[in-house]
Amino acid sequence: MAETVQSNGSVGSENKEPAKFNKDELTPPSFLNEEYFLNVLKQVENDKALTITKFEMIPGTKPGDHFASIMFKAIVSYTSRGKTVSSRSLVVKTMPVEEGMKKEMFTQMPIFDREIYMYTKVLPEMSRLMESIGDFEELAPRMLYHNTDPLVLIFEDISKFGYEMNNGFLDFDNTEKVVKKLAKFHALSFYMNDNKYSYKLDLPKNEGIMITEQTIDKMQMLADGLHLMKEEVETWPGYEKIAEKIEVTRHTFLRRLLSVYKPNPEPGFNVLCHADFHIKNMMFIKNAEDIDKIFLLDFQMCFWGSPAVDLLYSLYAVGNASVRARKGEIISTYHENFTEYLERLGCLRKGPTLLDLNIEMLKIGLLEVLLGLCFLPFFSLDFTKVDIDQIMDPTPENLANMQRMVYKNPDIVSILTEVLPHLFLKGLLD
């Protein structure tokens, strides 16, 4: 019988404070036990005689690193074909099990179906296509196992290869590297759709997930938060008109965002968007502060639509303020790399011109309201200093108190005083 350990989330020496984790990640679902992983590893290793000698489950990520699922790490020691694996770390992603807003919201979204489709169909085809032209760069971690009942995805733990998450947003040079990877991901999907009879994936069938007629009511808390932002902003000298605009736009911007999550009508320009393209959905190998390698994570929200969706994410949820100040250069870098990769693939259909791309950015500019006013403050929070349970499953009162605290935070105020005038002058708050 293997030695089994259930971790309570305490990591490190006894002198250190226990690490903070999401409440629903402190105790794994009962089915994620040693027997379950024994069967998984027998399949992964193709060895029916495999035996586990030690098994441990621990929380998988820090507070605020993800939202749409619960994650754990399974640390397993086992023997297979006479060889001993002293410690193998597996990243386990499954559905929320705690009752509350988080479980209710994401049960209604086909996020796991979408991610399984991406890992079993789309990403393998992308890898084969890349290798066919001599490009052996990896896009994402390897999925080892998946099941739909119950929903589970298991990945190789890439942290053992030196990959790590970045603490905070990236500077311009590193954001450019991320945008080049994004351009490749988009170009691959564009080429595959242009050659759909060879790949038979029907990428345009992947409709938007985040904001739809079915989910829009669950997103209302974002709009409600803008009212509290307005109350704070109207006390800032010179921001009175902007505060008025915030109050006006909060009633309509979510419904107007529905069009952002729909593709451009043919022959318009579309790609497979990641659609959750933020700094916490990436891991890096770094040389000091310089990024050498990038892995993209969490393909749960992918949909067929405008590439400007992910490009706006790169400005508001990947790069820092210096990146937004050089927005034109970021768009140009993306366009140059997208175009060059299409040529390398031998794509017969031309991609957009740089002008086309800039027009796309303007067409879906309303997404900047969501990213700049709702998501950017959230991504800027230090989750070790807030009550993570109130964020992940808040009552209306707790949510309002938390939002008021956020809008008074000096770091958040600094962000808003940069973003709000930009949105106001572009007419996006009208």
Side-chain angles (χ1 to χ4, degrees):
M1 182 68 179
E3 177 186 353
T4 301
V5 180
Q6 289 286 349
S7 171
N8 65 359
S10 298
V11 178
S13 68
E14 295 180 358
N15 294 328
K16 294 182 179 179
E17 292 185 5
K20 294 178 67 176
F21 296 99
N22 300 338
K23 179 182 177 181
D24 54 3
E25 294 181 357
L26 291 176
T27 305
S30 59
F31 73 88
L32 289 176
N33 53 31
E34 181 184 330
E35 182 180 2
Y36 187 90
F37 283 92
L38 177 62
N39 292 325
V40 168
L41 286 170
K42 284 180 177 180
Q43 180 175 319
V44 170
E45 297 283 11
N46 192 25
D47 178 9
K48 293 182 179 180
L50 182 146
T51 59
I52 290 178
T53 56
K54 186 175 182 181
F55 173 76
E56 179 182 8
M57 288 286 285
I58 63 174
T61 56
K62 295 183 295 184
D65 281 352
H66 65 97
F67 184 59
S69 55
I70 57 174
M71 298 183 70
F72 301 90
K73 283 189 180 182
I75 314 299
V76 190
S77 303
Y78 59 94
T79 59
S80 175
R81 295 188 174 90
K83 295 183 179 179
T84 299
V85 178
S86 60
S87 180
R88 186 173 187 179
S89 179
L90 306 173
V91 174
V92 185
K93 179 186 289 190
T94 188
M95 286 283 288
V97 292
E98 292 280 335
E99 294 298 328
M101 182 196 71
K102 183 176 175 180
K103 180 179 179 180
E104 181 183 350
M105 178 183 295
F106 293 108
T107 299
Q108 298 174 0
M109 295 181 177
I111 56 175
F112 277 84
D113 292 340
R114 187 64 50 87
E115 187 157 38
I116 289 171
Y117 172 75
M118 287 294 298
Y119 269 101
T120 59
K121 303 294 184 182
V122 178
L123 291 171
E125 288 293 347
M126 286 184 169
S127 294
R128 282 190 282 270
L129 179 55
M130 292 166 65
E131 291 172 6
S132 73
I133 60 171
D135 182 358
F136 297 95
E137 180 182 7
E138 295 180 282
L139 295 173
R142 185 163 66 103
M143 184 173 71
L144 300 173
Y145 174 89
H146 75 278
N147 204 333
T148 56
D149 187 20
L151 279 164
V152 177
L153 287 77
I154 299 179
F155 303 89
E156 196 75 67
D157 183 3
I158 59 174
S159 65
K160 69 179 183 181
F161 303 123
Y163 282 89
E164 60 184 350
M165 300 190 78
N166 193 70
N167 184 24
F169 297 118
L170 302 177
D171 61 17
F172 181 84
D173 289 342
N174 283 319
T175 301
E176 267 202 322
K177 296 174 184 177
V178 171
V179 167
K180 289 176 182 178
K181 185 119 183 180
L182 175 66
K184 180 181 293 189
F185 176 74
H186 282 177
L188 287 162
S189 70
F190 185 88
Y191 176 87
M192 289 162 63
N193 187 62
D194 196 48
N195 293 269
K196 61 183 69 177
Y197 297 109
S198 298
Y199 293 95
K200 300 178 183 179
L201 288 173
D202 192 13
L203 295 178
K205 78 174 182 180
N206 295 286
E207 298 178 347
I209 289 179
M210 181 171 291
I211 298 182
T212 66
E213 291 286 358
Q214 291 71 40
T215 64
I216 196 167
D217 289 342
K218 301 296 182 184
M219 298 292 179
Q220 187 58 40
M221 61 180 180
L222 299 176
D224 293 342
L226 293 185
H227 175 69
L228 300 175
M229 178 188 291
K230 172 256 182 183
E231 291 181 347
E232 182 64 25
V233 169
E234 67 184 353
T235 67
W236 303 349
Y239 279 77
E240 294 81 7
K241 289 185 177 180
I242 291 179
E244 293 174 8
K245 293 288 188 181
I246 294 173
E247 182 63 23
V248 170
T249 199
R250 79 179 183 92
H251 296 289
T252 62
F253 93 99
L254 278 178
R255 184 148 293 278
R256 288 188 289 145
L257 269 176
L258 285 171
S259 62
V260 170
Y261 290 88
K262 298 182 184 297
N264 288 313
E266 291 294 337
F269 179 61
N270 297 291
V271 298
L272 189 63
C273 299
H274 183 282
D276 202 15
F277 197 69
H278 60 76
I279 191 67
K280 296 180 185 295
N281 276 344
M282 304 167 193
M283 291 184 74
F284 310 95
I285 289 180
K286 298 166 68 177
N287 179 10
E289 295 304 312
D290 294 328
I291 291 173
D292 285 339
K293 293 183 180 181
I294 304 165
F295 262 150
L296 305 181
L297 311 175
D298 286 350
F299 294 87
Q300 296 180 323
M301 300 289 183
C302 290
F303 80 103
W304 191 249
S306 171
V309 171
D310 288 343
L311 269 174
L312 283 175
Y313 266 87
S314 71
L315 296 174
Y316 285 92
V318 177
N320 59 24
S322 72
V323 174
R324 290 188 289 278
R326 299 170 67 179
K327 170 183 174 181
E329 294 173 70
I330 288 292
I331 299 172
S332 179
T333 293
Y334 170 90
H335 177 262
E336 179 181 352
N337 282 267
F338 181 91
T339 302
E340 287 180 355
Y341 207 77
L342 281 188
E343 292 174 354
R344 187 173 172 184
L345 290 168
C347 189
L348 297 178
R349 183 182 175 189
K350 296 295 183 184
T353 65
L354 183 57
L355 177 59
D356 292 334
L357 198 55
N358 275 283
I359 292 172
E360 282 292 310
M361 298 289 282
L362 289 170
K363 279 172 57 180
I364 69 160
L366 190 65
L367 182 60
E368 292 191 60
V369 176
L370 178 68
L371 295 174
L373 301 189
C374 301
F375 288 3
L376 183 55
F378 181 82
F379 290 139
S380 303
L381 283 176
D382 182 350
F383 285 91
T384 65
K385 298 179 180 178
V386 298
D387 187 339
I388 193 67
D389 293 331
Q390 289 190 13
I391 294 176
M392 293 303 179
D393 196 16
T395 64
E397 182 181 2
N398 286 340
L399 179 62
N401 290 336
M402 187 270 294
Q403 288 171 325
R404 289 190 181 95
M405 176 270 294
V406 167
Y407 299 139
K408 292 181 181 295
N409 182 298
D411 293 333
I412 306 300
V413 169
S414 176
I415 290 169
L416 292 176
T417 54
E418 173 226 333
V419 171
L420 280 169
H422 167 76
L423 300 179
F424 175 74
L425 293 173
K426 285 182 71 173
L428 295 174
L429 298 179
D430 291 341

